[in-house]
């Protein structure tokens, strides 16, 4: 990672951090991790608690209602949530691999230019 990447990420979080925390509480994997950038960027605690509460309330409300409507077939919810978690994990892995590939390709081009 470059310092410019961190600066861009911080700028993005300053601009979109409230949406990221709110929606992040509804997305598997990110649900647990969204607290880190919020803390690093020193999001005000009342704002963080409000966004966390609302996002979690919506996500958990959806799960509770789905379980209620499905009754004895509540395990269907677990199947779909498991699929969603795996899909998010695959997308994250693909994004990380793409990021690394772009960085390595850029580094290789820079070395090639210096050697020429």
């Amino acid at each position: 990672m470059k310092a410019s990447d961190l600066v861009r990420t911080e700028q993005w979080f300053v601009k979109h951090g409230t949406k990221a925390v709110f929606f992040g509480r509804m997305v598997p994997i990110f649900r647990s991790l969204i607290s880190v950038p919020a803390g690093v960027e020193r999001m005000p605690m009342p704002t963080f608690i409000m966004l966390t509460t609302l996002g979690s309330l919506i996500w958990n409300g959806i799960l509770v209602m789905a379980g209620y409507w499905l009754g004895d077939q509540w395990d269907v919810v677990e199947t779909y949530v498991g699929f969603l978690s795996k899909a998010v994990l695959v997308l994250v892995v693909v994004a990380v691999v793409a990021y690394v590939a772009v960085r390595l390709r850029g580094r290789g081009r820079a070395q090639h230019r210096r050697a020429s």
Side-chain angles (χ1 to χ4, degrees):
M1 290 187 91
K2 297 179 185 176
S4 62
D5 293 333
L6 292 174
V7 170
R8 251 193 342 260
T9 302
E10 287 177 345
Q11 290 171 343
W12 183 91
F13 197 84
V14 166
K15 186 175 181 180
H16 302 287
T18 54
K19 292 176 275 200
V21 170
F22 177 72
F23 291 112
R25 289 298 181 191
M26 298 180 220
V27 179
I29 297 172
F30 292 104
R31 181 177 310 124
S32 303
L33 301 175
I34 196 63
S35 307
V36 174
V40 168
E41 289 304 312
R42 304 214 183 278
M43 178 178 276
M45 189 61 74
T47 302
F48 178 77
I49 290 171
M50 179 192 66
L51 294 168
T52 293
T53 300
L54 292 174
S56 297
L57 184 65
I58 291 169
W59 175 251
N60 290 322
I62 289 169
L63 292 179
V64 168
M65 292 307 297
Y68 177 78
W69 288 326
L70 290 169
D72 289 340
Q73 297 176 333
W74 64 269
D75 56 331
V76 173
V77 174
E78 186 177 12
T79 301
Y80 283 106
V81 170
F83 175 78
L84 180 60
S85 296
K86 289 176 183 131
V88 168
L89 182 59
V90 167
L91 289 173
V92 168
V93 168
V94 167
V96 168
V97 168
Y99 175 81
V100 169
V102 166
R103 285 291 174 197
L104 290 175
R105 189 177 313 149
R107 188 176 290 170
R109 286 181 186 162
Q111 288 175 352
H112 184 291
R113 279 187 223 130
R114 278 186 253 148
S116 300

